[in-house]
Amino acid sequence: DSGVTQTPKHLITATGQRVTLRCSPRSGDLSVYWYQQSLDQGLQFLIQYYNGEERAKGNILERFSAQQFPDLHSELNLSSLELGDSALYFCASSAQRLAGGTDTQYFGPGTRLTVL
Amino acid sequence: DQQVKQNSPSLSVQEGRISILNCDYTNSMFDYFLWYKKYPAEGPTFLISISSIKDKNEDGRFTVFLNKSAKHLSLHIVPSQPGDSAVYFCAAREYNFNKFYFGSGTKLNVKP
């Protein structure tokens, strides 16, 4: 158990809909990262938040957005869903005390999103 | 544009032998490299890392080698155990942007 929780575990929805994925980081971790893993592919970095502020942005679509709340949990919002958005979405957290520090990222179990 | 590549989708090794997993990258701005292990239905688990200022890092049965001139990273597992059977991802961080790039993974099967 990494200490990172993600809800829901599974999500099935239709094209055009909007969903929200939730992540609670490990106690004390200030950084949250979101990744997408499509079928048989590696993890694609989407976005990172540090203590409520956006820190880094990867290949995140404009239809997707994220935020980190004062209690440090984070939400990833996916809207106007398309079939190709079906994937595993992972959240990871790290302490990230120093910019560029070598903190380990601890991953949650993921949310499997299926768009029909 | 994949900046981190794992060209071997799978690898099969006999228990007790060495497993060598390879990873190539293209971005010279990567300053930190990591290996993760992933079991089905679980998130990736951190295994070992190496800074770009080093060429080797060892942790028990796991050793990561970095060849910066070749932009090549490898993970050695000695001796391999059946419990090591999993998908292994290499990852790299682009320092200036704090972005992480992952390879597509190599599925390791250690046969008893």
Side-chain angles (χ1 to χ4, degrees), chain A residues 42 45 48 56-57 100-102 105, chain B residues 32 43-44 93 97-100 103:
Chain A
F45 169 66
Q48 180 209 357
K57 211 165 186 174
T102 56
Q105 291 183 32
Chain B
Y32 184 51
R93 181 182 69 187
F97 302 99
N98 203 48
K99 293 181 183 179
F100 288 81

Side-chain angles (χ1 to χ4, degrees), chain B residues 83-99:
Chain B
D84 296 330
S85 297
V87 177
Y88 289 78
F89 291 98
C90 72
R93 181 182 69 187
E94 188 176 15
Y95 176 76
N96 285 346
F97 302 99
N98 203 48
K99 293 181 183 179

Side-chain angles (χ1 to χ4, degrees), chain A residues 33 35 37 40-43 45 48 55-58 88 90 96 99-105 107-109, chain B residues 2 31-32 34 36 38 41-46 49 51 89 93 95 97-105:
Chain A
Y33 305 78
Y35 294 88
Q37 185 184 20
D40 292 335
Q41 292 192 16
L43 284 77
F45 169 66
Q48 180 209 357
R55 166 72 63 89
K57 211 165 186 174
L88 263 172
F90 288 104
Q96 186 89 78
T102 56
D103 289 326
T104 299
Q105 291 183 32
F107 282 78
Chain B
Q2 234 184 325
D31 73 325
Y32 184 51
L34 311 94
Y36 285 85
K38 186 181 182 303
E42 294 182 12
T45 303
F46 171 75
S49 64
S51 165
F89 291 98
R93 181 182 69 187
Y95 176 76
F97 302 99
N98 203 48
K99 293 181 183 179
F100 288 81
Y101 296 84
F102 280 71
S104 53

Side-chain angles (χ1 to χ4, degrees), chain B residues 4-57:
Chain B
V4 177
K5 292 181 184 176
Q6 293 176 258
N7 292 317
S8 298
S10 64
L11 175 68
S12 191
V13 169
Q14 204 66 38
E15 181 180 6
R17 298 289 187 103
I18 184 171
S19 294
I20 300 177
L21 295 97
N22 294 304
C23 180
D24 296 298
Y25 63 95
T26 57
N27 191 337
S28 56
M29 296 301 292
F30 289 154
D31 73 325
Y32 184 51
F33 302 87
L34 311 94
W35 283 94
Y36 285 85
K37 179 164 84 169
K38 186 181 182 303
Y39 293 117
E42 294 182 12
T45 303
F46 171 75
L47 202 53
I48 192 168
S49 64
I50 187 166
S51 165
S52 60
I53 61 172
K54 295 187 175 181
D55 53 21
K56 178 181 172 182
N57 188 27

Side-chain angles (χ1 to χ4, degrees), chain A residues 3-73:
Chain A
V4 178
T5 59
Q6 287 187 250
T7 56
K9 198 162 185 169
H10 300 278
L11 197 48
I12 301 174
T13 188
T15 54
Q17 295 297 305
R18 173 190 166 96
V19 297
T20 297
L21 313 184
R22 184 188 167 105
C23 169
S24 292
R26 290 189 326 151
S27 176
D29 282 357
L30 300 178
S31 255
V32 169
Y33 305 78
W34 285 99
Y35 294 88
Q36 178 193 57
Q37 185 184 20
S38 300
L39 190 64
D40 292 335
Q41 292 192 16
L43 284 77
Q44 298 288 324
F45 169 66
L46 295 178
I47 198 163
Q48 180 209 357
Y49 278 81
Y50 174 76
N51 203 20
E53 300 286 329
E54 183 183 303
R55 166 72 63 89
K57 211 165 186 174
N59 297 325
I60 187 166
L61 299 172
E62 284 191 17
R63 300 184 285 109
F64 296 1
S65 65
Q67 54 184 328
Q68 186 179 27
F69 294 87
D71 67 352
L72 300 176
H73 91 271

